Amino acid sequence: MAPAAGGSALENNLRLYRRHRIAAGLLFWFPTSLLFFLERVGLGATLRLAAVYFLTVVVVEVPSGWFSDRVGRVRTLRFGAAAWVVGFATFLVAGSSIILLALGQALVAVGYASFSGTDTSFHYDTLEALGRSSDFDRAEAKASRDAFLGTTAAAIVGGALGLIDLRLPFAASLLAATYQLAVAVPMVEPTAPGDESPGAAPAGAGQLRAALRYLRRPGLAWIFLFMTVQEPLEGLAIDMIQPWLTEVAGASLAEAGAAPIYSGLLVAAISIIGAAAAARSYQLRAALGLRGALGLLASIEALILVGMALTFSPWLTLVIALRSTQAAAAPVLVAAAATPLVMKRHRATFLSLGSLSGRLAYGSVLIGLGFFDNLDDVLTVGAVIGVVSVALLLAAHFIFGRDDLSATATSG
């Protein structure tokens, strides 16, 4: 049995969690990352490097969830922040080395996999230990809003830094990751008197089987499918923006030109909308229901992919600005719906399995796209994937049937 965390320490957890989310949102590198790779290795190799990231997550995602459930949320968050520190440092010295660029991608992926499912579980566990689990959806929405506001500022700064040198956004991200690690150090494991310790989670295959049994519920099965298609939709809608913008700006894929600042400003606009979407995510669910809300968010991503395949008109940026609505609101809606239905010792593993499924799908897509060197072909395939993904969600809505998601987990 782990020692019970005191109320003051748990309240401090909540403050530290908000700082963690803001630090995680300081994505200075995000608006210019593909431009950084394109300048060094070309389109095909850039897409293959993106695949390295997503396939690394495939390998690490579930073990990180098991580690979180069995060893603890705090140690996992510290490990993820440390991986980011080393990863961003690697990009600064990589030059045009495919090996070092791939290593940097892998380390950043390890960090994301460590956070995936663990940070929201840490947040829910802390509120649960304080007897305030009913506050989770609103509290998580505010934390997500703050993260996107941080991304807004970081995108503008990162885009401006990219005009000077495409390595500078990675240097700023290194500083943010160092701060994030410092924030994780004073966190305490969110346990309460009589609570199960992290080590109560079964080991290995037993943990996976226990987490997968929750898919017997139609509602959770549909959520899992959404998590699977969300990653390709979200990833394509943002990753294709940077090469698309180079065409709009009249530059080549090998020469970024003014694209970094355009990308930074666009990501900033996207993030502002994302902050608003995150803060009002629970209202969207109240108005449309969970499946309706998530289906609408997925449809927006598909619309963006179709639009980029059809035109290079600058006016499309008005639609692209809506891209973050899914990235901002969907994780809040998924966590708020799924977390209470999954026992504490399975939560991070279940969410990691859903994220794993999505990353595997997107990694596979990126490997396929890596064989194309023509941007028009890549955008066309992306549009097809968007339409098919929304069709799958609609079909699954009728196949799985309805399910009451209001009950909490009592066994698992």
Side-chain angles (χ1 to χ4, degrees), residues 4 54 59 72 128 150 165 197 204 234 261 297 353 374 381 389 402 411:
F54 283 97
V59 174
E128 188 176 50
D165 190 319
S197 68
E234 180 183 335
I261 193 62
L297 296 173
L353 281 170
N374 184 285
V381 174
S389 296
R402 296 188 178 277
S411 64

Side-chain angles (χ1 to χ4, degrees), residues 25-32 149-161 260-261 263-269 271:
L26 295 177
L27 306 178
F28 296 99
W29 58 274
F30 191 58
T32 59
L149 289 175
T151 301
T152 300
I156 295 173
V157 173
L161 290 174
I261 193 62
S263 181
L265 292 172
L266 180 56
V267 171
S271 299

Side-chain angles (χ1 to χ4, degrees), residues 364-390:
S364 301
V365 167
L366 287 173
I367 288 177
L369 292 178
F371 291 100
F372 295 95
D373 282 313
N374 184 285
L375 181 58
D376 288 335
D377 293 338
V378 171
L379 293 175
T380 299
V381 174
V384 172
I385 291 171
V387 173
V388 170
S389 296
V390 173

Side-chain angles (χ1 to χ4, degrees), residues 214-231:
Y214 292 99
L215 296 181
R216 295 172 182 173
R217 291 195 63 167
L220 285 175
W222 193 90
I223 289 175
F224 193 89
L225 175 63
F226 175 82
M227 294 173 73
T228 301
V229 303
Q230 168 186 274
E231 194 64 50

Side-chain angles (χ1 to χ4, degrees), residues 279-335:
R280 292 168 175 78
S281 55
Y282 59 91
Q283 296 174 340
L284 185 63
R285 176 180 177 174
L288 301 177
L290 179 68
R291 295 189 191 181
L294 293 177
L296 173 63
L297 296 173
S299 298
I300 291 173
E301 304 280 19
L303 177 63
I304 292 171
L305 291 174
V306 171
M308 285 195 293
L310 292 177
T311 179
F312 288 100
S313 169
W315 289 104
L316 186 62
T317 56
L318 298 176
V319 179
I320 293 175
L322 298 175
R323 192 216 68 85
S324 64
T325 52
Q326 175 176 295
V332 177
L333 294 175
V334 167

Side-chain angles (χ1 to χ4, degrees), residues 168-189:
L168 290 179
F170 288 100
S173 295
L174 174 59
L175 294 176
T178 302
Y179 171 72
Q180 189 169 13
L181 179 59
V183 166
V185 169
M187 289 177 173
V188 298
E189 200 61 40

